[in-house]
Amino acid sequence: MAVTRPRALTVDTLAGLARRRRPLRLPPLRLAVPSGMSAPLGCDAVAVPAAYGRRLLARLPRAGCVYGDGAHWWWLVPSDSDVAMEWPAPAHYAAGAVVPDACARPGLVHRPDGTSVAYTPPIPLYLAVCQITGARPAWSRPVSG
């Protein structure tokens, strides 16, 4: 009885396989407005590290829907809330409330009481993020000419 040996893979074969393999791309994950709530101005989101989440929530006079995924808290804001505001690092602005590179949908951490609008007002959120991160709001920085 003849014994067949497995065919050895060469570096060229492995390199060819790697070139032909397509990277796994998950479809973009968009945060959803909870049922019974509305977002009439469209919806974007601002992400902050989860370590800042509770501190931000405590500083805001009113908070809308907030989602968490363990690493980040995502605050729903009206569309175009990045106009004239440079969100300071480590905050991340996500147009369309799209959560980049998410493997699982973030869970709802906070839902406002007594309102049907899902938004957190963006200017108080921006100021609170600046305060917690030690950044100066863009409009308060000196203008160089």
Side-chain angles (χ1 to χ4, degrees):
M1 179 183 247
V3 177
T4 55
R5 292 187 183 172
R7 194 174 119 202
L9 295 176
T10 66
V11 173
D12 290 336
T13 304
L14 292 174
L17 289 172
R19 273 190 235 102
R20 286 190 298 269
R21 189 182 72 178
R22 292 186 181 177
L24 177 63
R25 296 254 184 221
L26 298 173
L29 198 150
R30 191 175 308 272
L31 295 173
V33 174
S35 63
M37 300 195 85
S38 67
L41 302 175
C43 213
D44 290 346
V46 176
V48 296
Y52 294 140
R54 295 238 178 262
R55 289 174 48 202
L56 280 172
L57 195 58
R59 291 175 190 236
L60 293 170
R62 180 184 129 30
C65 293
V66 183
Y67 297 83
D69 64 6
H72 295 93
W73 278 27
W74 297 87
W75 306 77
L76 291 186
V77 294
S79 290
D80 300 324
S81 292
D82 60 337
V83 173
M85 286 195 278
E86 297 171 25
W87 291 85
H92 169 75
Y93 191 84
V98 173
V99 179
D101 304 324
C103 293
R105 182 171 302 281
L108 190 62
V109 173
H110 178 267
R111 179 182 175 141
D113 294 328
T115 182
S116 62
V117 179
Y119 304 128
T120 295
I123 294 176
L125 177 60
Y126 175 78
L127 292 172
V129 169
C130 285
Q131 188 177 37
I132 284 177
T133 61
R136 291 180 71 184
W139 59 72
S140 70
R141 294 184 205 136
V143 178
S144 61

